Amino acid sequence: MPDASFAPTARLLCGWGRAGATSGLVWTPRHDDEVAELLSKADDPGIIARGLGRSYGDAAQSAGGTVVDTTLLDHVGGVDVHGEVEVGAGTSLDTLVRRTLPQGWFLPVTPGTRQVTVGGAIAADVHGKNHHADGGFARHVTAMTVATPTGVHRVSSTRDPELFWATAGGMGLTGIVTSARIRMLAVSTDRMLVDTDRFFDLDAVMTAMEEGDARYRYSVAWVDCSGSAERTRPGGRRGPKVGRAVLTRGDHAGIEHVPAPEQPRAALAAARVPRPHLRVPRHVPGGLLNRLSIAAFNEAWFRRAPARRKNELQSMWKFFYPLDGVAEWNRLYGPLGFLQYQFAVPPGRGDVVRAAIGTLSSRRIPAFLAVLKRFGPSSPGPLSFPMPGWTLALDIPIGSEGMGRCLDRLDEMVAEAGGRVYLAKDSRLRPDLVTTMYPRLEELRAVRRRVDPRGVLRSDLSRRLDLG
Amino acid sequence: MIDALGQPQSAVVLGGTSDLAGAIVQALVRRRCRSVVLAGRDEQRLAASAATASAAGAEHVSIVRFDALDVGDAARAVDDAFAAALDAAGGVDLVLLAVGVLSREREELDPARTAEVVTATYSWPATALTRAAALLREQGYGRIVVLSSVAAMRVRRQNFVYASAKAGLDTFSVGLSEALRGTGVAVQIVRPGRVPTKMTEGLPSAPMSSTPDAVADAVVAGLESGAPVIWVPPAARWAMGLARLVPQALWRRVPG
């Protein structure tokens, strides 16, 4: 090892859902060669990269093994004339956007938080509200450096495309990305031009998305999973119907869309990336987010939205990152934590989306912030999650009775429809359904046999689902 | 590997021939459990339990023998069980402790029998759990489920030797759970009411009784919720809380 200060610490690690913590030895390399050295010396039970720990489940931890914290690999190069920038894999999207936005460059694809690393964004092939238009994150990576147990490779979609695409969405199982070249998106303001529509049932919002999404770069619907299956309750009172939704769609605003007095502030030279203004305290009692509080929140969210509004100017921070304003919001779920269930199904299988929401609602399992959107074409990555069709993501507090069996049944429905569950969010999938959901898993395994013949790249996720 | 809902894929069962353990194993196998190591004394009964686990769908079932009266052998038995689980599944997600011997009323003036009951119900289990906890810590994660009893909550005239040993084990487990905080290893204690099984054959039925399947379902749900104590039936929690307040003169007259 290069010097004595490079030493590991034993740490208890969990995903963003805060359940299923395991203890591993965490190394924090400062240079790429230290990553290569850790990989060449790695042994059972395994080694895996970890960024900012925003995977919901157990993808970035390795019980009893080695965890490589990449966050010190955070160099950011200059943006070239094509909008390409070379960044260390431990750079957060937050840092990246702070550096590039004043020069007119935004992230080509962004998840709902900027607190993920570039390496994590590649390993999960993350998607944003523009997947139907622009694909996943890896599509905008023009080259990357992947350190493997057998050597360091510079790969792209033309140079060793097998390793490149197996790494894009490969959940860290093909090596550790140390740096990547990203093609950024040119923007001229930090504002968005947004259309908002409210719908009283799921069918209406799904129809609107099918018909209209092609006209927008960004589109996402929030769906209320509380409420009852029928709008009319016993006694004739009308209550909220399960599946009502708020649909927001839009694109980046040009400077000409901004009223003249505001133009100086919307100009990118003056752009200020906000920081969290609230922080959830460390100890939050369990049960704070329960059926009642979640239903109340959903009610407020729905009522706050306008029934219909066209061409509203919104800040991009509010549009893309509504939760980034509250640091450590995952603590709100209390000591038991929560899980996110996100699945994708083919275009003709919107019935699975309806059935999933109906099942949770009828079993009285609370789900917070169900997010529905449409995916465009898949990437060539064998383990990349997005597939053309629908995706639904649900946050569910752990501890609801019967939730395990209920989600097992949803797994079955999703698999039967030819869909899949997102591994970056998963912490409990039925292992027997992985090969059905990811039929190209064998391609990933073939790449692993080449770059990691001893099979040391392993995480709790890969052990749990037998991905190796 | 265990999942976020506490469902194990690999389980080591100490006391694998008990009826309760059998029901719990079946319930675990119905969820995620693929590999089971059954440790117990009687080879024939172990074979029968193994057959039941396989029939329920477990892919690997292995057997380890031990005698709960031989405390000096406890660490060896745990090591062997872990080695078998490591071979079959690459690790141990769950250790279920279901070891114990019930004392009968007439035996309780016999010092040799008292020593047996205490050894098999407290000394051996506590020793084995100590070893299992160390191995799970090294592994970086794991769950330990200890079968205690509502009888341990307030002692009665009948079975008091057994109850006292279970009370010791229960207290030991609470302490072990505290000692393991922050390590990735968690301990959960199951306190069932009297369950009609081989162990309780011939005893009159008691209030707060339960069935092996009810205990098994409660354990699976308890793994999911992570509750430190799993009461079966759930009402036993409140009943035993009240029972502790009842004066001894009255408690003596409560049937059961």
Side-chain angles (χ1 to χ4, degrees):
Chain A
M1 288 289 138
D3 73 67
S5 65
F6 184 50
T9 50
R11 274 175 59 195
L12 195 60
L13 299 172
C14 59
W16 189 242
R18 300 182 77 226
T22 67
S23 169
L25 273 187
V26 181
W27 294 78
T28 310
R30 290 154 302 183
H31 309 290
D32 293 10
D33 48 349
E34 289 175 339
V35 176
E37 181 145 14
L38 285 170
L39 282 165
S40 67
K41 289 183 174 169
D43 208 342
D44 274 352
I47 182 168
I48 197 73
R50 181 180 180 91
L52 289 167
R54 253 46 172 206
S55 288
Y56 283 69
D58 47 5
Q61 61 200 50
S62 178
T66 305
V67 176
V68 182
D69 178 335
T70 61
T71 50
L72 292 186
L73 308 175
D74 59 352
H75 57 270
V76 181
V79 187
D80 72 11
V81 288
H82 308 292
E84 291 189 14
V85 57
E86 181 83 23
V87 290
T91 311
S92 70
L93 297 187
D94 185 62
T95 302
L96 180 58
V97 86
R98 282 174 198 281
R99 293 289 188 83
T100 60
L101 194 65
Q103 298 154 55
W105 302 103
F106 186 65
L107 302 163
V109 164
T110 180
T113 172
R114 300 187 303 281
Q115 301 304 332
V116 302
T117 62
V118 166
I122 293 171
D125 195 10
V126 297
H127 55 269
K129 303 176 182 184
N130 56 341
H131 189 276
H132 63 282
D134 300 323
F137 191 85
R139 203 170 117 186
H140 306 272
V141 174
T142 54
M144 61 182 158
T145 306
V146 186
T148 73
T150 52
V152 178
H153 307 266
R154 182 74 178 174
V155 298
S156 70
S157 57
T158 52
R159 192 160 139 196
D160 198 347
E162 290 80 19
L163 180 54
F164 179 87
W165 286 115
T167 303
M171 302 311 296
L173 300 175
T174 59
I176 299 179
V177 179
T178 54
S179 79
R181 196 166 184 79
I182 299 160
R183 195 188 305 112
M184 303 293 284
L185 176 74
V187 295
S188 51
T189 67
D190 66 354
R191 306 295 157 98
M192 307 296 296
L193 219 46
V194 182
D195 291 354
T196 305
D197 295 276
R198 229 165 56 158
F199 299 88
F200 281 92
D201 69 74
L202 193 58
D203 290 337
V205 70
M206 289 174 81
T207 307
M209 291 170 85
E210 275 171 334
E211 285 169 358
D213 272 11
R215 298 197 306 272
Y216 298 88
R217 182 193 286 269
Y218 300 102
S219 165
V220 71
W222 161 88
V223 182
D224 186 357
C225 294
S226 35
S228 54
E230 288 308 319
R231 218 176 149 194
T232 310
R233 286 171 174 173
R237 206 160 61 85
R238 276 158 74 84
K241 189 177 169 186
V242 64
R244 60 188 179 167
V246 179
L247 174 63
T248 49
R249 298 185 284 195
D251 202 345
H252 296 277
I255 197 79
E256 70 280 8
H257 298 116
V258 181
E262 267 205 60
Q263 281 182 3
R265 282 200 295 140
L268 291 172
R272 291 173 85 126
V273 184
R275 300 197 184 268
H277 44 272
L278 286 174
R279 178 174 296 272
V280 176
R282 187 174 294 275
H283 300 288
V284 174
L288 194 63
L289 294 187
N290 52 38
R291 270 176 51 87
L292 285 178
S293 63
I294 286 177
F297 175 90
N298 288 346
E299 185 70 37
W301 184 286
F302 186 77
R303 293 203 179 185
R304 197 191 64 162
R308 184 136 209 265
R309 187 180 283 165
K310 299 284 277 181
N311 290 326
E312 180 194 4
L313 274 174
Q314 272 186 18
S315 90
M316 53 165 57
W317 319 115
K318 182 184 166 198
F319 182 77
F320 288 115
Y321 313 109
L323 288 174
D324 268 3
V326 184
E328 322 273 5
W329 61 261
N330 57 340
R331 289 177 180 162
L332 284 174
Y333 283 90
L336 291 179
F338 71 111
L339 59 81
Q340 186 170 94
Y341 190 74
Q342 181 170 6
F343 66 85
V345 285
R349 296 308 304 267
D351 59 306
V352 178
V353 171
R354 281 180 211 105
I357 291 173
T359 304
L360 288 176
S361 150
S362 68
R363 287 177 196 281
R364 305 168 70 83
I365 292 172
F368 198 41
L369 276 185
V371 173
L372 176 69
K373 72 165 272 86
R374 286 175 68 74
F375 275 154
S378 307
S379 93
L383 229 60
S384 176
F385 166 66
M387 63 192 302
W390 297 99
T391 183
L392 181 72
L394 305 149
D395 285 3
I396 306 170
I398 287 177
S400 321
E401 208 181 316
M403 157 186 180
R405 282 203 183 84
C406 178
L407 292 178
D408 280 3
R409 268 190 291 272
L410 289 188
D411 287 346
E412 224 166 273
M413 278 165 42
V414 169
E416 181 275 325
R420 57 177 65 133
V421 163
Y422 193 4
L423 298 181
K425 307 282 180 76
D426 178 58
S427 57
R428 41 99 359 238
L429 177 64
R430 269 178 53 174
D432 56 310
L433 294 176
V434 172
T435 49
T436 313
M437 292 183 174
Y438 290 92
R440 294 172 60 207
L441 180 59
E442 205 41 53
E443 292 174 46
L444 175 93
R445 289 180 174 149
V447 171
R448 278 170 60 76
R449 281 193 291 275
R450 170 159 70 91
V451 299
D452 180 23
R454 292 187 298 129
V456 294
L457 286 161
R458 296 175 84 196
S459 59
D460 288 353
L461 171 81
S462 79
R463 288 169 71 184
R464 178 167 58 79
L465 298 180
D466 201 13
L467 300 176
Chain B
M1 191 73 209
I2 200 162
D3 68 17
L5 298 182
Q7 300 305 314
Q9 294 180 342
S10 162
V12 162
V13 185
L14 304 173
T17 58
S18 94
D19 290 343
L20 274 187
I24 294 169
V25 164
Q26 285 192 43
L28 294 175
V29 167
R30 281 198 294 270
R31 290 294 289 276
R32 296 282 191 274
C33 198
R34 292 187 283 194
S35 158
V36 182
V37 180
L38 299 171
R41 182 171 53 90
D42 185 311
E43 196 152 6
Q44 276 185 347
R45 280 168 58 189
L46 278 172
S49 300
T52 314
S54 298
E59 289 164 26
H60 304 276
V61 183
S62 29
I63 282 172
V64 170
R65 293 196 58 197
F66 73 87
D67 183 347
L69 296 180
D70 187 354
V71 175
D73 181 51
R76 189 278 314 163
V78 172
D79 287 352
D80 285 0
F82 269 64
L86 202 64
D87 257 5
V92 177
D93 296 340
L94 171 74
V95 174
L96 172 64
L97 186 123
V99 182
V101 176
L102 193 64
S103 54
R104 303 289 161 128
E105 209 162 332
R106 235 165 299 146
E107 299 167 347
E108 288 180 340
L109 297 171
D110 175 359
R113 183 59 184 163
T114 297
E116 275 181 15
V117 170
V118 170
T119 304
T121 310
Y122 178 67
S123 305
W124 195 94
T127 310
L129 286 178
T130 307
R131 180 65 185 161
L135 293 175
L136 291 179
R137 276 192 74 152
E138 214 167 289
Q139 183 183 262
Y141 78 99
R143 296 255 186 141
I144 297 174
V145 170
V146 181
L147 290 190
S148 176
S149 167
V150 295
M153 296 295 101
R154 180 146 188 195
V155 78
R156 307 181 67 89
R157 166 68 189 88
Q158 59 271 51
N159 323 319
F160 73 87
V161 178
Y162 168 79
S164 73
K166 277 291 189 196
L169 182 66
D170 194 290
T171 304
F172 175 89
S173 305
V174 173
L176 184 65
S177 165
E178 288 300 310
L180 289 170
R181 277 181 73 86
T183 63
V185 184
V187 181
Q188 295 180 274
I189 300 166
V190 188
R191 293 182 188 147
R194 184 180 293 166
V195 180
T197 63
K198 292 192 291 279
M199 191 166 90
T200 58
E201 246 166 30
L203 292 179
S205 66
M208 287 297 157
S209 67
S210 190
T211 66
D213 286 338
V215 174
D217 288 345
V219 167
V220 169
L223 287 169
E224 203 168 302
S225 74
V229 179
I230 301 162
W231 295 89
V232 200
R237 177 181 184 181
W238 312 113
M240 293 319 289
L242 281 178
R244 286 168 164 230
L245 306 175
V246 175
Q248 185 66 26
L250 208 62
W251 179 242
R252 199 175 286 138
R253 289 179 173 78
V254 174

